[in-house]
Amino acid sequence: MAEIATIARPYAEALFKASTGADARALAGQVEALAQVAADPALRQFAENPKVRVEQVNDVIVGALRGTALAPAVQNLLRTMLDNGRLAALPEVAAQFRALVNESSGVFDASIISAYPLDGAPLADVVATLEKRFGRKLNATVAVDRELIGGIRAVVGDEVFDASVKARLEQMKAALTA
């Protein structure tokens, strides 16, 4: 069977071509909401039941979004993926679509892992510093990992910036044992 990324790519590219620049960010949020619903194992089991019609699965997914109005392009995407039995690829479609939207707007997703919660002005300072370091505009998400002891770890695409106390202690350990 083909890799999930290979299956998802044409769907993400088609949705991206169907969207306009400003519209694409809104569609990305809708596709990500669909992906979260589609990631539920109980829903996937329900969808794979041969006695269940595609319309029923569609109704359950749309109902799970609790009144979120889906754009026609996103409705078409969902319907097409259900018709083709590709519901499992929806989370990957969302990720690839987000990457296409980010690439077109020059914004990149950044994952910032901090030893302590970051928000407000400290977060803005960290993001500004990372934007200078990576040379691009960043859309940051923050997670907390107490094992870092202090500092941050930032991941932008395939680049990693690790300024955590844990990383520095590991570097010192390696230097002392070498």
Side-chain angles (χ1 to χ4, degrees):
M1 184 169 168
E3 291 290 325
I4 201 86
T6 304
I7 292 168
R9 186 174 301 111
Y11 293 103
E13 289 174 350
L15 181 61
F16 183 72
K17 287 178 185 174
S19 65
T20 60
D23 184 41
R25 285 250 172 240
L27 293 182
Q30 293 178 12
V31 174
E32 287 176 3
L34 282 177
Q36 289 177 348
V37 172
D40 183 66
L43 175 69
R44 298 242 292 267
Q45 185 178 11
F46 174 72
E48 291 170 2
N49 186 337
K51 294 181 182 180
V52 175
R53 295 187 326 267
V54 171
E55 295 83 19
Q56 291 173 308
V57 177
N58 187 56
D59 291 344
V60 168
I61 292 172
V62 172
L65 294 174
R66 295 187 182 97
T68 301
L70 294 177
V74 177
Q75 291 174 353
N76 290 339
L77 171 73
L78 175 61
R79 180 62 185 212
T80 302
M81 292 188 75
L82 289 173
D83 286 343
N84 294 323
R86 302 292 194 195
L87 185 63
L90 196 50
E92 181 63 24
V93 170
Q96 289 191 21
F97 182 71
R98 172 66 74 182
L100 289 169
V101 170
N102 287 345
E103 182 179 327
S104 73
S105 63
V107 176
F108 291 83
D109 286 332
S111 176
I112 300 173
I113 301 115
S114 172
Y116 299 98
L118 275 177
D119 57 358
L123 176 60
D125 291 343
V126 168
V127 170
T129 302
L130 290 173
E131 285 176 345
K132 286 179 187 173
R133 176 162 176 77
F134 288 105
R136 48 190 120 159
K137 185 87 173 128
L138 300 177
N139 178 22
T141 57
V142 180
V144 175
D145 181 2
R146 300 265 184 218
E147 291 185 14
L148 294 181
I149 305 169
I152 65 163
R153 183 173 193 260
V155 180
V156 178
D158 61 351
E159 297 178 66
V160 177
F161 172 70
D162 197 343
S164 66
V165 173
K166 180 180 179 183
R168 290 184 182 163
L169 288 173
E170 288 175 4
Q171 289 171 351
M172 289 172 57
K173 179 183 173 185
L176 290 172
T177 58

